[in-house]
Structure formats: C-alpha cells, structure tokens
Coordinates of all heavy atoms in Angstrom, one line a residue:
A16 N -45.4 26.8 170.6 CA -44.9 25.5 170.6 C -43.6 25.4 169.7 O -43.7 25.8 168.5 CB -45.9 24.5 170.1
R17 N -42.6 24.8 170.2 CA -41.3 24.7 169.5 C -41.0 23.3 169.0 O -40.0 23.0 168.5 CB -40.1 25.2 170.3 CG -40.2 26.7 170.6 CD -39.2 27.2 171.6 NE -39.2 28.7 171.7 CZ -40.1 29.4 172.4 NH1 -41.1 28.8 173.0 NH2 -40.1 30.7 172.4
S18 N -42.0 22.4 169.3 CA -41.9 21.0 168.8 C -43.3 20.4 168.7 O -44.2 21.0 169.3 CB -41.0 20.2 169.8 OG -41.7 20.1 171.0
E19 N -43.3 19.3 168.0 CA -44.6 18.6 168.0 C -45.0 18.1 169.3 O -46.2 18.1 169.7 CB -44.5 17.4 167.0 CG -44.4 17.8 165.5 CD -44.3 16.6 164.6 OE1 -45.4 15.9 164.4 OE2 -43.2 16.3 164.1
Q20 N -44.1 17.8 170.2 CA -44.4 17.3 171.5 C -45.1 18.4 172.3 O -46.1 18.2 173.0 CB -43.1 16.8 172.2 CG -43.4 16.3 173.7 CD -42.1 15.9 174.3 OE1 -41.0 16.1 173.8 NE2 -42.2 15.3 175.5
E21 N -44.5 19.7 172.2 CA -45.1 20.8 172.9 C -46.5 21.1 172.4 O -47.4 21.4 173.2 CB -44.2 22.0 172.8 CG -43.0 21.9 173.7 CD -42.2 23.2 173.6 OE1 -42.6 24.2 173.0 OE2 -41.1 23.2 174.3
L22 N -46.7 21.0 171.1 CA -48.0 21.3 170.5 C -49.0 20.3 170.9 O -50.2 20.6 171.3 CB -47.9 21.4 169.0 CG -49.2 21.6 168.2 CD1 -49.9 22.9 168.7 CD2 -49.0 21.7 166.7
R23 N -48.6 19.0 171.0 CA -49.5 17.9 171.4 C -49.9 18.1 172.9 O -51.1 17.9 173.2 CB -48.9 16.5 171.3 CG -48.7 16.1 169.8 CD -48.1 14.7 169.7 NE -47.8 14.3 168.4 CZ -48.7 13.9 167.5 NH1 -49.9 13.7 167.8 NH2 -48.3 13.6 166.3
A24 N -49.0 18.6 173.7 CA -49.3 18.8 175.1 C -50.4 19.9 175.2 O -51.3 19.7 176.1 CB -48.1 19.3 175.8
S25 N -50.4 20.9 174.4 CA -51.5 21.9 174.5 C -52.8 21.3 173.9 O -53.8 21.6 174.4 CB -51.0 23.1 173.7 OG -50.0 23.8 174.3
L26 N -52.7 20.6 172.8 CA -53.9 20.1 172.2 C -54.5 19.0 173.0 O -55.8 18.9 173.0 CB -53.5 19.5 170.8 CG -53.1 20.4 169.7 CD1 -52.5 19.7 168.5 CD2 -54.2 21.4 169.3
D27 N -53.8 18.4 173.9 CA -54.3 17.3 174.8 C -55.2 17.9 175.8 O -55.9 17.2 176.5 CB -53.2 16.5 175.4 CG -52.6 15.5 174.4 OD1 -53.2 15.3 173.3 OD2 -51.5 15.0 174.7
Y28 N -55.2 19.2 176.0 CA -56.2 19.9 176.9 C -57.6 19.5 176.5 O -58.4 19.3 177.4 CB -56.0 21.4 176.8 CG -57.2 22.1 177.5 CD1 -57.1 22.3 178.9 CD2 -58.3 22.6 176.8 CE1 -58.1 23.0 179.5 CE2 -59.3 23.2 177.5 CZ -59.2 23.4 178.8 OH -60.3 24.1 179.5
E29 N -57.9 19.3 175.3 CA -59.2 19.0 174.8 C -59.8 17.7 175.3 O -61.0 17.5 175.4 CB -59.3 19.1 173.3 CG -59.1 20.5 172.7 CD -60.1 21.5 173.2 OE1 -61.4 21.2 173.1 OE2 -59.8 22.6 173.7
T30 N -58.9 16.8 175.6 CA -59.3 15.5 176.1 C -58.9 15.3 177.6 O -59.1 14.2 178.1 CB -58.7 14.3 175.3 OG1 -57.2 14.5 175.2 CG2 -59.2 14.4 173.8
A31 N -58.4 16.3 178.2 CA -58.0 16.2 179.6 C -59.3 16.1 180.5 O -60.3 16.6 180.2 CB -57.2 17.4 180.0
S32 N -59.1 15.4 181.6 CA -60.2 15.2 182.6 C -60.4 16.5 183.4 O -59.5 17.3 183.5 CB -59.9 14.0 183.5 OG -58.8 14.4 184.4
P33 N -61.6 16.6 184.0 CA -61.8 17.8 184.9 C -60.7 17.9 186.0 O -60.3 19.0 186.3 CB -63.2 17.5 185.5 CG -63.9 16.7 184.4 CD -62.8 15.8 183.9
D34 N -60.3 16.8 186.5 CA -59.2 16.8 187.5 C -57.9 17.3 187.0 O -57.2 18.1 187.6 CB -59.0 15.4 188.1 CG -60.1 15.0 189.1 OD1 -60.9 15.9 189.5 OD2 -60.3 13.8 189.4
Q35 N -57.6 17.0 185.7 CA -56.4 17.4 185.1 C -56.4 18.9 184.8 O -55.4 19.6 184.9 CB -56.1 16.7 183.8 CG -55.7 15.2 184.0 CD -55.6 14.4 182.8 OE1 -56.5 14.5 181.9 NE2 -54.5 13.7 182.6
R36 N -57.6 19.4 184.5 CA -57.7 20.8 184.2 C -57.8 21.7 185.4 O -57.5 22.9 185.4 CB -59.0 21.1 183.4 CG -59.0 20.4 182.0 CD -60.3 20.7 181.3 NE -60.3 20.2 179.9 CZ -61.3 20.5 179.0 NH1 -62.3 21.2 179.4 NH2 -61.2 20.0 177.8
D37 N -58.3 21.1 186.5 CA -58.5 21.9 187.7 C -57.3 22.6 188.3 O -56.3 22.0 188.5 CB -59.1 20.9 188.8 CG -59.4 21.6 190.1 OD1 -59.8 22.8 190.0 OD2 -59.3 21.0 191.2
Y38 N -57.4 23.9 188.4 CA -56.3 24.7 188.9 C -56.6 25.2 190.3 O -55.7 25.7 191.0 CB -56.1 25.9 188.0 CG -57.3 26.8 187.8 CD1 -57.8 27.6 188.7 CD2 -58.0 26.7 186.5 CE1 -59.0 28.4 188.5 CE2 -59.1 27.5 186.3 CZ -59.6 28.3 187.3 OH -60.7 29.0 187.0
A39 N -57.8 25.0 190.8 CA -58.1 25.6 192.1 C -57.3 25.0 193.3 O -56.8 25.8 194.1 CB -59.6 25.4 192.4
A40 N -57.2 23.7 193.3 CA -56.5 23.1 194.4 C -55.0 23.6 194.4 O -54.4 23.8 195.5 CB -56.5 21.6 194.3
A41 N -54.4 23.7 193.2 CA -53.0 24.1 193.2 C -52.9 25.6 193.6 O -52.0 25.9 194.4 CB -52.5 23.9 191.8
F42 N -53.8 26.4 193.1 CA -53.7 27.8 193.4 C -53.9 28.1 194.9 O -53.2 29.0 195.5 CB -54.9 28.6 192.7 CG -54.6 28.8 191.2 CD1 -53.6 28.1 190.6 CD2 -55.4 29.7 190.5 CE1 -53.4 28.3 189.2 CE2 -55.2 29.9 189.2 CZ -54.2 29.2 188.5
A43 N -54.7 27.3 195.6 CA -54.9 27.5 197.0 C -53.7 27.2 197.9 O -53.7 27.5 199.0 CB -56.1 26.6 197.4

C-alpha cells in the first residue's frame, strides 16, 4: 500500500460481503 486509501481498500476485505469477495463469476 502506497497510501492510506490503498491500505483501507485492503483492510475493507474484512467487512466485504460474500458477493464482493466472490471471484468465481468473474473468473468464469
């Protein structure tokens, strides 16, 4: 992370919904 904004984006993974985390639909 090169900024607080980038770090927050990664930390927000912890509160992301299952749909936001889901990579399967994109990968397919």
